[in-house]
Amino acid sequence: MAADVTVISAPQAPPHPLAVFWHDLARNRGALLGLAVVVLIALLAIFADVVAPHAPAEQFRAHVLQPPAWVEGGSWAFPLGTDEVGRDILSRLIYGARYSLFIGISVVAVALVLGISLGFAAAFVGGLVDVMIERLMDLIMSVPSLVLAIVIVAIIGPSLTNTIIAVTIVYLPRYVRIVRAAALSEKAKDYVTAAKTVGVGRWRLMFVTVLPNCVAPIIVQATLGVSDAILEAAALGFLGLGAQPPTPEWGTMLAAAREFLQRAPWVVTWPGLAILVTVVSINLFGDGLRDALDPRLKRS
Amino acid sequence: MLTYIGRRLALTIPTIFALMFLTFLAVRLVPGDPVEVRTGERGISPERLAQFRHELGLDQPVWKQFADYVSGLAQGDFGISLVTKEPVLKEFLTLFPATLELAFFATVFAVTFGIPFGVVAALRRGGILDHGLMGVALFGYSMPIFWWGLLLILFFSVQLDLTPVSGRIDLLYYFEPVTGFMTIDALISGQEGAFASALSHLVLPAVVLGTIPLAAIARMTRSSMLEVLEEDYVRTARAKGLPPLRVIGLHALRNAMIPVVTVIGLQGGTLLAGAVLTETIFAWPGVGKWLIESIFRRDYPALQGGVLLISSILVLVNLGVDIVNGVINPRVRHGR
């Protein structure tokens, strides 16, 4: 009898939401692979001083435009070859990861803060404030992304910081819209009405009651936003309007390498490959996150 | 329906007006004194400075300057390029057909491959083909297209010597532009080989510019197709014993295309932004390359007019997409 009682009185506790999330994510091998590569790139960036064989700006004048190690004329001292002034490409790529990741994360961080503030203002204050914010976002989105970015850079000047500012402005509408939409749909739910009824203040209502329930779409947008920001910043660098040489930013490296396309194709190949691998990995992980966090959006 | 169109139009007009204000403001925020930039003189005498400021209307109050700017725009006056001394509108209209032609062929490329990719992936859901095609789409979506362009040049132009590296047509051919579309003009000219030359110049730039739209279209087609294939009417069609091709092509695909058509329309922004990079790489004489050159030449009137024109075109394209969407999909029309 006693055994029966224990069976009945021990209903299985529901698994922790984080455990469910991890279970869903871990089933997606692509997402895990993406995460692993992103972590690897981040580690390389953090420990660049230890990992990179040479300093990013060190010039080996005797080894100008040396091909990769496995090609005739290459050497393992410069595994991926050297550029037009004899700098080690592998070292520059490793240090360059710092810039790309820094740009991606800074853009998303600033855009998140602004996006949540403006999105919440639009959703909770409503009325004229909502209309003004929406129209402003419409305006930003009416200019093609890269065109707007180059105009902003033309005004404030090309540099790494200004790249971050320009890319943040360009991508801000996405964050504002997602936060506004999520806040509006949560606001209409019973638990928010209940919280209001018991006299919860406006700030507490926004940031303690509603915000945690808007987190899923915001996290997905933030993850995919990192890759968008990296691509956009690299495009600006490529056009000569982003980080300036000799900064080993990947897009800037490509711009300098263009004229050696025929003579030394490896100088062009590696920085682009670094951008592609980083962006693909982040997107793989972001797609997996979306599927795990929001079953309604599941693509397959 | 008319109310819907009216409402969308009412949202568009303030946006275009705000764009005018934004471009007006942007040029005034650019570092450097406009008179100095325009005249190229330093240490200019106060009298001459005052005279120039008066000629440029800079001694007027800002609201008056803006009103003059808007009334100029209404009369087609987008300013005069500092470099070529030509009206900005005229330059833009000369170059825009090149961009439009490139964008058209890029879209053709993206649709031709994107839709079949998406359909096949949906039909083979979870299989190797699905994973393979969606892997391709993921790479396309993540592609730094400026690098992609360089790689294609390296392979097809440098290694295989199959395609030209830059420009719109071989220097062997010359004819007066009629439409501004090189392929059409080449056909009109009747010169042997001109059309083939124009087309071969288009291949690589169109592939590069079409890569991201291709990926977006393939992903959308797949997810839309998957949704439609689960619908009751598709099951009914199958149960009736209709041949699979008829079920997929007629019953499923037609309905699955509604969101895909929207996605194709919304690629306008991607194409215009991508044109800046693609045209720069392939020395394609369109508005994207012109815009970048204007920045480096500090040709601010050209930049101002160009950005306003490009953005207005994008706003109108998106308006068109919304209206078409409202026509083919009643849920959109009544949803708002």
Side-chain angles (χ1 to χ4, degrees):
Chain A
M1 279 308 273
D4 286 347
V5 174
T6 39
V7 170
I8 296 163
S9 68
Q12 273 218 315
H16 192 272
L18 271 180
V20 176
F21 161 69
W22 180 252
H23 177 77
D24 284 349
L25 186 67
R27 274 197 329 200
N28 186 335
R29 275 176 297 172
L32 285 187
L33 179 68
L35 179 64
V37 177
V38 173
V39 169
L40 179 71
I41 295 170
L43 287 175
L44 283 175
I46 294 169
F47 297 107
D49 294 324
V50 186
V51 187
H54 306 282
E58 197 177 354
Q59 302 182 3
F60 299 89
R61 287 301 182 142
H63 302 273
V64 170
L65 290 179
Q66 186 174 308
W70 56 91
V71 179
E72 205 183 320
S75 77
W76 284 104
F78 309 104
L80 300 183
T82 61
D83 66 7
E84 69 277 12
V85 289
R87 292 172 298 199
D88 179 42
I89 292 179
L90 177 64
S91 305
R92 287 179 69 72
L93 288 182
I94 294 175
Y95 279 95
R98 285 186 172 174
Y99 292 95
S100 287
L101 292 182
F102 177 69
I103 291 170
I105 292 167
S106 319
V107 166
V108 168
V110 180
L112 270 181
V113 172
L114 291 175
I116 291 175
S117 313
L118 290 171
F120 270 23
F124 282 93
V125 181
L128 193 62
V129 174
D130 186 18
V131 173
M132 298 271 287
I133 292 174
E134 278 289 282
R135 291 291 79 78
L136 184 64
M137 295 306 128
D138 274 355
L139 178 64
I140 296 177
M141 288 178 75
S142 67
V143 188
S145 59
L146 189 61
V147 174
L148 181 59
I150 61 180
V151 170
I152 296 171
V153 171
I155 295 172
I156 59 183
S159 74
L160 189 68
T161 319
N162 291 349
T163 299
I164 294 173
I165 297 175
V167 177
T168 305
I169 296 176
V170 167
Y171 285 116
L172 186 60
R174 297 190 186 179
Y175 295 82
V176 175
R177 292 209 160 153
I178 280 183
V179 172
R180 177 179 174 271
L184 279 179
S185 86
E186 291 300 317
K187 214 178 104 179
K189 290 184 180 165
D190 288 344
Y191 76 93
V192 179
T193 317
K196 274 190 201 156
T197 321
V198 296
V200 170
R202 180 181 260 181
W203 294 102
R204 191 180 157 81
L205 190 73
M206 280 196 271
F207 292 100
V208 181
T209 313
V210 173
L211 184 59
N213 292 295
C214 304
V215 160
I218 296 175
I219 288 183
V220 173
Q221 170 59 35
T223 312
L224 296 170
V226 173
S227 61
D228 289 332
I230 291 176
L231 268 184
E232 199 81 15
L236 281 177
F238 179 75
L239 290 170
L241 294 166
Q244 295 297 301
T247 312
E249 196 272 320
W250 294 336
T252 311
M253 285 171 73
L254 261 178
R258 257 183 83 185
E259 45 185 306
F260 304 100
L261 185 63
Q262 298 202 24
R263 262 171 70 203
W266 60 90
V267 193
V268 177
T269 310
W270 300 121
L273 198 62
I275 301 171
L276 180 64
V277 168
T278 310
V279 173
V280 164
S281 309
I282 297 174
N283 283 345
L284 258 179
F285 178 59
D287 283 352
L289 266 185
R290 182 189 45 217
D291 292 351
L293 282 173
D294 195 344
R296 280 168 304 175
L297 284 174
K298 269 198 176 146
R299 277 171 187 268
S300 52
Chain B
M1 188 66 228
L2 277 178
T3 343
Y4 172 73
I5 295 178
R7 213 165 36 210
R8 280 298 289 113
L9 265 175
L11 282 177
T12 304
I13 291 162
T15 306
I16 290 193
F17 204 69
L19 269 174
M20 293 176 182
F21 184 67
L22 194 75
T23 48
F24 170 81
L25 199 69
V27 168
R28 270 145 195 83
L29 290 174
V30 163
D33 182 70
V35 174
E36 213 170 82
V37 170
R38 277 168 211 233
T39 58
E41 286 180 45
R42 277 178 189 280
I44 191 172
S45 74
E47 295 80 45
R48 273 178 69 78
L49 185 72
Q51 189 200 335
F52 275 124
R53 289 185 72 80
H54 181 71
E55 276 172 19
L56 294 169
L58 291 171
D59 52 351
Q60 305 278 344
V62 174
W63 66 266
K64 178 80 167 52
Q65 290 182 35
F66 182 60
D68 287 346
Y69 173 60
V70 172
S71 82
L73 291 178
Q75 297 162 42
D77 175 13
F78 283 74
I80 305 286
S81 160
L82 295 182
V83 176
T84 58
K85 312 287 180 204
E86 293 271 351
V88 171
L89 184 63
K90 190 180 156 205
E91 290 211 332
F92 185 88
L93 291 177
T94 314
L95 298 170
F96 189 61
T99 302
L100 201 59
E101 188 176 35
L102 176 58
F104 172 76
F105 279 90
T107 309
V108 168
F109 166 73
V111 169
T112 313
F113 290 94
I115 292 179
F117 277 21
V119 171
V120 171
L123 294 177
R124 294 273 175 274
R125 178 182 184 175
I128 296 174
L129 254 177
D130 182 19
H131 285 303
L133 289 172
M134 285 305 108
V136 170
L138 173 72
F139 273 83
Y141 209 72
S142 313
M143 189 61 82
I145 60 167
F146 41 98
W147 177 67
W148 182 223
L150 294 176
L151 276 196
L152 291 180
I153 290 178
L154 194 62
F155 190 68
F156 289 101
S157 308
V158 179
Q159 302 270 346
L160 300 180
D161 200 18
L162 280 177
T163 48
V165 178
S166 64
R168 294 179 76 188
I169 195 161
D170 211 272
L171 291 174
L172 283 172
Y173 305 99
Y174 181 78
F175 37 80
E176 285 298 319
V178 183
T179 58
F181 296 92
M182 198 55 90
T183 42
I184 299 175
D185 287 352
L187 279 179
I188 293 174
S189 79
Q191 294 181 35
E192 204 180 322
F195 179 72
S197 172
L199 215 53
S200 72
H201 280 78
L202 257 168
V203 175
L204 288 191
V207 167
V208 168
L209 188 56
T211 296
I212 293 178
L214 185 159
I217 292 169
R219 284 166 76 134
M220 192 38 132
T221 306
R222 177 179 181 271
S223 66
S224 169
M225 197 72 188
L226 281 179
E227 216 164 272
V228 171
L229 285 174
E230 309 242 306
E231 296 281 348
D232 289 340
Y233 60 81
V234 172
R235 195 179 328 139
T236 310
R238 282 201 173 121
K240 277 200 303 191
L242 291 180
L245 258 181
R246 196 177 158 79
V247 176
I248 293 160
L250 198 70
H251 294 250
L253 192 59
R254 261 172 59 174
N255 286 294
M257 278 303 107
I258 294 175
V260 177
V261 168
T262 313
V263 164
I264 295 171
L266 291 178
Q267 294 305 308
T270 311
L271 289 171
L272 284 171
V276 173
L277 294 164
T278 312
E279 291 178 3
T280 303
I281 297 166
F282 290 97
W284 189 264
V287 291
K289 180 165 165 282
W290 172 67
L291 216 55
I292 287 291
E293 287 169 352
S294 303
I295 288 189
F296 286 110
R297 296 193 297 220
R298 299 187 156 264
D299 190 350
Y300 295 124
L303 183 64
Q304 181 181 25
V307 170
L308 180 59
L309 284 163
I310 287 179
S311 308
S312 305
I313 289 168
L314 182 58
V315 169
L316 293 179
V317 167
N318 287 348
L319 172 71
V321 172
D322 270 7
I323 290 176
V324 169
N325 213 3
V327 172
I328 59 177
N329 192 352
R331 269 178 288 188
V332 173
R333 197 160 65 226
H334 299 296
R336 304 189 205 185

